[in-house]
Amino acid sequence: RLKRGALYSCCRDQDKNVLVLGQHLDDLAESFLMAAMFNGRLSTMKAKYLVNNGDLRVIRPLIYTREKQTKDFAYSQGMPVIAENCPACYEAPKEREHIKKLLAREESLFPTLFRSIQNALVPLMSPECQDELNSIRTTLLTKNHRLANSNSKDAVAWRAKHQKSQQVSGRAFRQNKQQLTSTTSNGLTEEDSVGQDSQREDLDSLHISG
């Protein structure tokens, strides 16, 4: 925030009304995962926005460009490349470095990873979309909190229905798993055994997600 404020001040001192930032697709993907994993929010850097005062427009023209592309271009043009971290930072961003390594590992297994992430992030790059998501999130949290702590008939019915749904799901899970466990493996073909193992895994994942 201090760096961003300094950039805003510099633009105003120079009588400029547009600030161009160089964040790329890798930055947006990292910011998205950090927001989801550490803050529980669906958000990323905006493609463009107006600052609160309304006198300065911020744009990010490289949001569809990979970090490697920007680095290769800088080297080809003899431009300076900062290898580790922004010199204005006091220490390396540990969380972002961790996410960067995670994405690199996953991309080695799924080469189209960043293309998929880009498609998923397009709506979140819009300020209007982020405002709408925040509004929906606040509304749902308020509603659930009110129902969970209210003694009205609607709230009591909601809690009872929620508890019954959990009980039914748990009972069905235990019955199905017991049935699979008690089934003898004698006479099963290899294909049957694989199918049974797969069904057990599906039940386990269902139980965990519930």
Side-chain angles (χ1 to χ4, degrees), residues 27-43:
D27 289 324
L28 268 69
E30 293 160 13
S31 294
F32 169 71
L33 288 182
M34 290 172 65
M37 295 169 64
F38 304 140
N39 298 321
R41 293 183 177 275
L42 292 176
S43 66

Side-chain angles (χ1 to χ4, degrees), residues 174-186 188 196 200:
R174 289 190 295 271
Q175 289 174 350
N176 289 333
K177 190 167 186 179
Q178 184 178 10
Q179 181 180 358
L180 284 174
T181 303
S182 62
T183 302
T184 177
S185 60
N186 294 334
L188 289 178
Q196 192 181 73
R200 285 198 187 97

Side-chain angles (χ1 to χ4, degrees), residues 164-176 207:
K164 183 177 180 180
S165 176
Q166 287 184 320
Q167 292 172 357
V168 171
S169 297
R171 186 162 56 247
F173 165 78
R174 289 190 295 271
Q175 289 174 350
N176 289 333
H207 181 60

Side-chain angles (χ1 to χ4, degrees), residues 185 187-194:
S185 60
L188 289 178
T189 64
E190 183 178 352
E191 182 177 355
D192 290 333
S193 299
V194 171

Side-chain angles (χ1 to χ4, degrees), residues 40-95:
R41 293 183 177 275
L42 292 176
S43 66
T44 190
M45 299 177 186
K46 301 179 183 71
K48 61 179 181 179
Y49 64 93
L50 282 175
V51 300
N52 291 335
N53 293 341
D55 62 336
L56 189 62
R57 184 162 58 97
V58 180
I59 62 175
R60 294 184 171 98
L62 300 179
I63 56 174
Y64 295 141
T65 305
R66 294 297 307 278
E67 180 178 23
K68 184 178 184 303
Q69 291 176 297
T70 63
K71 184 182 296 185
D72 290 345
F73 176 80
Y75 279 127
S76 68
Q77 300 300 312
M79 300 169 63
V81 175
I82 301 173
E84 296 298 331
N85 191 39
C86 173
C89 294
Y90 295 104
E91 62 178 354
K94 299 179 180 63
E95 291 85 2

Side-chain angles (χ1 to χ4, degrees), residues 122-187:
V122 167
L124 296 179
M125 297 177 190
S126 165
E128 294 78 12
C129 178
Q130 292 199 22
D131 291 342
E132 187 68 22
L133 284 175
N134 289 334
S135 176
I136 293 172
R137 182 176 184 274
T138 301
T139 300
L140 290 176
L141 288 175
T142 302
K143 179 181 178 181
N144 290 341
H145 179 75
R146 185 171 61 250
L147 286 172
N149 294 278
S150 174
N151 291 321
S152 67
K153 291 183 178 180
D154 290 342
V156 172
W158 177 83
R159 287 198 295 269
K161 182 179 179 180
H162 181 68
Q163 292 171 357
K164 183 177 180 180
S165 176
Q166 287 184 320
Q167 292 172 357
V168 171
S169 297
R171 186 162 56 247
F173 165 78
R174 289 190 295 271
Q175 289 174 350
N176 289 333
K177 190 167 186 179
Q178 184 178 10
Q179 181 180 358
L180 284 174
T181 303
S182 62
T183 302
T184 177
S185 60
N186 294 334

